[in-house]
């Protein structure tokens, strides 16, 4: 059975912070993560869009949204740890 964790946040990220967080999700420490996706404001004023599946990370720049959104899908997700990973 799959569950999802999602959150909206105005927190600004660097691409390096997003990459590090997504690499951590691939370690298994946060549950069996099958997918993560989101759009977050960047520290330089733009927007970062990201997609993750195990073993594959895609980070790109894209259009704006009104606030950042993060979503993680998997099983036995450690939601509090995921929230801490993204420093939310």
């Amino acid at each position: 059975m799959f569950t999802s964790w999602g959150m909206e946040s105005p927190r600004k990220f660097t691409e390096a912070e997003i990459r590090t967080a997504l690499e951590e999700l691939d370690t298994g420490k946060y549950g069996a993560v099958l997918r993560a996706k989101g759009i977050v404001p960047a520290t330089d004023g733009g927007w970062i869009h990201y997609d993750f599946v195990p073993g594959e990370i895609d980070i790109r720049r894209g259009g704006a949204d009104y606030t950042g959104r993060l979503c993680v899908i998997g099983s036995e997700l450690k939601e509090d740890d995921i929230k801490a990973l993204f420093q939310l």
Side-chain angles (χ1 to χ4, degrees), residues 7-21:
M7 184 164 229
E8 290 187 355
S9 173
R11 181 183 184 280
K12 294 181 179 183
F13 292 86
T14 65
E15 287 185 35
E17 288 174 315
I18 291 296
R19 181 169 301 282
T20 298

Side-chain angles (χ1 to χ4, degrees), residues 26-82:
D26 211 10
T27 65
K29 293 190 269 186
Y30 301 89
V33 178
L34 300 176
R35 179 144 164 65
K37 60 183 179 175
I39 176 175
V40 293
T43 55
D44 66 6
W47 288 82
I48 300 169
H49 296 243
Y50 67 86
D51 288 287
F52 163 87
V53 294
E56 187 176 328
I57 294 172
D58 178 35
I59 299 173
R60 61 202 176 281
R61 293 302 185 113
D65 207 339
Y66 68 94
T67 191
R69 297 181 210 183
L70 305 101
C71 179
V72 177
I73 301 165
S75 62
E76 299 179 18
L77 296 179
K78 297 177 182 173
E79 295 182 14
D80 290 337
D81 293 341
I82 294 169

